[in-house]
């Protein structure tokens, strides 16, 4: 048996986000194209150097990008939407970034979540363009690595099935045309790589782990038969990740030389398939055995036994040992973290540490002389130490989660009863107007916060400033005549971090960035201990705001599922149990707000939908506990207290039922970009509770006119009852400018008043 250590891919953002900084400087015209290219090349090469230093046997190239790898692939084949007026030839950087980010005359291509990750890719658009190879960038990367380090790297590409599957713009007829055009181009790219001396080529096909029907399997077979026919000399590693294969036998019959399987997220399914069907003789098996998606150190003794088991079942000629997915989903290295609890830090493994794990276990399999055994048990000790950490021994919380009962999820009365009581208690007008929570964070707000963080501003002075800003915006909202007010969230930077900092069990890193989309990076908190409520989190700000006005001010919390989904989460408890811990903590906060005289509490769950598992058949199990976690957080209040929630970035068509199951009195949702679709799905699946359909898009500085908003509201009223309809923008207004915010909200309120008039007239008529 031969063993090779390798990676599916490695992060490209740089230890100190050098990549992000270079891109943004280039966009701001602070870097010339030449200087930008020099910087980018350095980053690209230093990643390879790092992998070589850490001892990876087979380095991967083509996993680097200037923005997004789906976009790279589209551009490589000349799939440039016509609105960007590209004239053929090499796609210049200006055009490339226009597709990603839009320009003065053309809107950007759509962006969507990459499978079940928090990464978002650019959706390729097929407009029946003539396809052509504009530039073989993977080849360039391959040659660059060969020249710089004398290595034969493994080039990687998004595979043809996944790429085509994720492209939009074709129908059943044009799909054939599309495939016929694109496959020869794929073949040519492969051929050029082989001619340049490439040995193995990795084609990434994550779409193969979704549930495939018969026509889809046929398509996969045809695609690979064509490719193999066109370039029989190419050695293809067909790489899958994020789940087990659903059509194992059919995939194993494809004419390629190797298969990559995920033995972390797809452990059960792939093991079962190996046991049942074995592995094709004479082919290479690449096994993802170290989690490429989480930040925890692997138990190397366990990894070693997994490999052993796979060896026995597969009889493969050679094994590649690798992380379960591209490492772009994890931060780069723990070595930059100087403030973490040492027990936690020692149990962490980011990209570089994962490489060390892979290299170590590969060596151990290879040598088998016992010399490395010590290192394998080292990891176990680190995991054990974290397990015994006092932060994980909160018996009160453990007990509370274990004893949650069905009653704890339910409000005192059902919605229809509560609705009447709330109407009386709150006395809101028809079509109440409100906003989603945050108001513009001006430069002044940011300046004050930074000064306070650097201790140049005292707590008192900072809090006084926040109060002043809150008061200013309460006045603005009254002036605008909005019905339900918010305090504005000036004290918060990030909606998860703010709560994490005030609950127990969270850790915050200094440099653990991961890419979210384009150059945008996020630094998720780490939930490593038991989560508990220690003291009121938001009560002071909400109560202060409420004291300034006779109108109702909404309390504003981030929901348990969103806190969970936007964090790195401990892996010794189920996600459900961690969600319930957070929910129980938030339940106390909701009660504290109620006790402080807040009558409306909004609990945001923008990330509820993105936690959905890859396969539809697994949705139910997730939704069961996710919905219950929300209800656990919100259900202890009086009937009079109105619970709101908010969601965004969401396709609602298949999601109305779970939304309704949350049993929130009012939900506000982002819809202005997909308004028509939502209306038609509400026609099919009526929604009965309070609902605020975003009446304008807050992602653009454009101020919507009164008539335009009125039009959207009239449409909505065709599928909604008057007494359930709320009026609000799409999402929080944090990133907008003050003047455009006020202008847009003024139009929103005016439009609402006209609508009330219209409805009144139609009733009296
Ligand atoms: N209340 C939050 C805000 O207004 C909601 C943010 C979100 O939906 N992502 O900023
Ligand atoms: Zn939102």
């Amino acid at each position: 048996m031969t063993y090779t250590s390798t990676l599916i891919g490695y992060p490209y953002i740089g230890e100190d986000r050098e990549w992000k900084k270079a891109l943004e400087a280039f966009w701001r015209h602070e870097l010339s194209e030449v200087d930008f290219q020099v910087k980018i090349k350095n980053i690209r090469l230093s990643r390879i150097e790092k992998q070589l230093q850490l001892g990876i046997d087979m380095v991967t190239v083509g996993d680097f990008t200037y923005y997004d790898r789906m976009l790279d692939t589209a551009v490589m084949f000349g799939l440039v939407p016509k609105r960007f007026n590209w004239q053929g030839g090499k796609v210049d950087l200006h055009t490339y970034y226009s597709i990603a980010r839009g320009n003065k005359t053309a809107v950007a291509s759509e962006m969507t979540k990459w499978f079940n990750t928090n990464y978002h890719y650019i959706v390729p658009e097929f407009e029946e363009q003539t396809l052509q190879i504009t530039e073989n960038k993977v080849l360039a990367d391959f040659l660059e690595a060969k020249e710089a380090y004398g290595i034969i790297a493994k080039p990687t590409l998004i595979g043809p099935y996944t790429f085509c599957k994720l492209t939009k713009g074709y129908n059943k007829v044009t799909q054939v045309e599309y495939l016929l055009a694109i496959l020869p181009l794929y073949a040519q790219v492969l051929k050029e790589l082989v001619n340049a001396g490439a040995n193995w080529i990795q084609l990434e096909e994550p779409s193969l782990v979704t549930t495939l029907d018969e026509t889809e399997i046929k398509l996969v077979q045809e695609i690979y038969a064509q490719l193999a026919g066109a370039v029989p000399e190419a050695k293809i590693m067909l790489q899958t990740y994020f789940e087990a294969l659903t059509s194992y036998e059919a995939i194993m019959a494809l004419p390629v030389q190797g298969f990559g399987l995920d033995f972390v997220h797809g452990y059960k399914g792939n093991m079962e398939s190996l046991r049942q069907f074995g592995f094709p003789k004479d082919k290479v098996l690449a096994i993802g055995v170290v989690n490429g998606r989480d930040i925890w150190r692997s138990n190397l003794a366990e990894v070693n036994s997994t490999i052993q088991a796979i060896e026995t079942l597969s009889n493969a000629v050679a094994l590649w040992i690798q992380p379960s997915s591209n490492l772009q989903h994890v931060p780069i290295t723990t070595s930059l973290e100087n403030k973490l609890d040492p027990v936690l830090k020692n149990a962490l493994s980011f990209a570089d540490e994962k490489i060390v794990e892979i290299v170590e276990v590969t060596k151990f399999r290879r040598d088998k002389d016992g010399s490395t055994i010590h290192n394998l048990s080292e990891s176990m000790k680190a995991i054990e130490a974290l397990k015994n950490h006092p932060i994980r021994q909160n018996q009160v919380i453990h007990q509370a989660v274990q004893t949650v009962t069905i009653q704890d999820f339910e409000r005192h009365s059902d919605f229809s009863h509560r609705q009447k009581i709330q109407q009386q208690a709150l006395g809101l007008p028809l079509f109440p107007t409100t906003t989603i929570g945050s108001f513009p964070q001006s430069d002044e707000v940011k300046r004050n916060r930074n000064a306070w963080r650097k201790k140049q501003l005292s707590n008192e002075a900072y809090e006084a400033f926040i109060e002043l800003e809150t008061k200013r915006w309460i006045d603005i909202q009254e002036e605008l005549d909005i019905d339900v007010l918010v305090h504005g969230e000036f004290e918060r930077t990030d909606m998860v971090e703010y709560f994490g900092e005030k609950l127990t069990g969270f850790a915050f890193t200094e440099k653990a960035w991961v890419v979210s989309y384009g150059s945008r990076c996020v630094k998720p908190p780490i939930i490593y201990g038991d989560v508990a409520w220690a003291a009121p989190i938001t009560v002071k700000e909400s109560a202060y705001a409420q004291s300034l006005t006779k109108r109702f001010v909404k309390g504003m919390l981030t929901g348990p599922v969103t806190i969970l989904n936007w964090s790195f989460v401990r892996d010794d408890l189920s996600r459900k149990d961690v969600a319930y811990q957070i929910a129980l903590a938030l339940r106390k906060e909701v009660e504290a707000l109620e006790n402080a005289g807040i009558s409306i509490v909004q609990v945001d769950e923008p990330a509820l939908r993105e936690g959905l598992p890859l396969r539809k058949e697994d949705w139910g199990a997730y939704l069961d506990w996710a919905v219950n976690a929300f209800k656990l957080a919100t259900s202890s209040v009086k009937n009079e207290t109105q619970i709101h929630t908010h969601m965004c970035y969401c396709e609602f068509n298949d999601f109305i039922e779970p939304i309704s199951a949350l049993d929130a009195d009012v939900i506000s949702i982002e819809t202005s970009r997909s308004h028509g679709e939502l209306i038609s799905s509400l026609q099919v699946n009526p929604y009965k509770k309070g609902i605020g359909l975003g009446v304008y898009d807050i992602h653009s500085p454009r101020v919507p006119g009164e008539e335009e908003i009125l039009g959207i509201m009239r449409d909505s009223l065709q599928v909604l009852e008057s007494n359930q309809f709320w009026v609000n923008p799409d999402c929080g207004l944090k990133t907008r400018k003050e003047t455009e915010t006020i202008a847009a909200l003024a139009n929103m309120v005016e439009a609402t008043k006209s609508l009330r008039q219209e409805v009144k007239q139609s009733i009296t008529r």
Side-chain angles (χ1 to χ4, degrees), residues 286-464:
I287 53 173
V289 283
V290 161
N291 195 328
R293 300 277 299 274
D294 78 3
I295 51 162
W296 304 108
R297 211 163 150 173
S298 301
N299 181 336
L300 288 189
E302 239 166 54
V303 171
N304 181 51
S305 357
T306 303
I307 300 174
Q308 251 172 330
I310 295 169
E311 263 181 66
T312 321
L313 291 173
S314 68
N315 285 316
V317 286
L319 284 186
W320 291 5
I321 299 178
Q322 61 188 23
S324 64
S325 66
N326 191 322
L327 292 175
Q328 81 172 91
H329 307 293
V330 297
I332 296 185
T333 171
T334 62
S335 66
L336 302 172
E337 302 300 329
N338 299 310
K339 294 184 184 152
L340 288 178
D341 177 336
V343 176
L344 168 64
K345 184 173 167 182
N346 197 32
L348 291 177
S349 174
F350 297 172
D352 288 356
E353 292 75 30
K354 285 178 193 290
I355 294 181
V356 172
E357 292 176 333
I358 290 289
V359 169
E360 209 162 281
V361 80
T362 308
K363 274 201 196 125
F364 181 73
R365 296 301 309 150
R366 202 178 278 150
D367 308 340
K368 292 200 187 107
D369 62 0
S371 65
T372 41
I373 209 156
H374 177 72
N375 289 336
L376 295 198
S377 59
E378 218 32 46
S379 62
M380 220 145 73
K381 283 187 215 152
I383 294 166
E384 197 64 18
L386 183 59
K387 194 173 149 213
N388 296 326
H389 195 298
I391 203 160
R392 291 191 173 181
Q393 319 302 327
N394 189 332
Q395 300 311 329
V396 178
I397 300 293
H398 296 177
Q399 186 70 21
V401 168
Q402 290 318 313
T403 51
V404 163
T405 64
I406 297 176
Q407 281 89 334
D408 297 327
F409 302 134
E410 301 306 326
R411 296 282 301 261
H412 300 302
S413 304
D414 63 12
F415 173 73
S416 55
H417 185 66
R418 298 195 310 261
Q419 190 180 31
K420 286 186 207 103
I421 293 181
Q422 288 167 16
Q423 249 154 22
Q424 279 215 327
L426 302 173
L428 295 169
L430 190 64
F431 314 135
T433 51
T434 190
T435 60
I436 304 302
S438 58
F439 279 125
Q441 297 225 337
S442 60
D443 290 341
E444 210 191 343
V445 171
K446 289 180 198 151
R447 223 180 306 119
N448 273 279
R449 185 180 308 116
N450 282 336
W452 169 67
R453 286 237 154 118
K454 287 188 191 134
K455 301 216 176 350
Q456 293 156 355
L457 195 68
S458 71
N459 285 346
E460 293 74 30
Y462 177 62
E463 278 164 28

Side-chain angles (χ1 to χ4, degrees), residues 702-762:
R702 197 176 145 264
V703 174
E706 192 188 321
E707 268 309 309
E708 180 184 330
I709 296 177
L710 201 52
I712 290 185
M713 296 198 292
R714 285 190 196 116
D715 286 350
S716 311
L717 278 180
Q718 309 207 327
V719 289
L720 295 170
E721 300 290 330
S722 294
N723 70 347
Q724 69 178 135
F725 187 58
W726 283 65
V727 178
N728 49 260
D730 246 359
C731 192
L733 297 159
K734 183 156 75 184
T735 55
R736 292 270 64 86
K737 294 261 177 303
E738 179 163 332
T739 45
E740 65 207 30
T741 299
I742 294 176
L745 289 176
N747 291 348
M748 182 184 92
V749 172
E750 282 320 304
T752 309
K753 288 180 178 167
S754 309
L755 188 71
R756 286 176 188 147
Q757 233 25 58
E758 274 175 28
V759 172
K760 216 154 94 210
Q761 276 159 11
S762 77

Side-chain angles (χ1 to χ4, degrees), residues 436 606 646-649 670 730-732:
I436 304 302
H646 165 72
M647 285 182 197
C648 40
Y649 324 113
E670 174 178 322
D730 246 359
C731 192

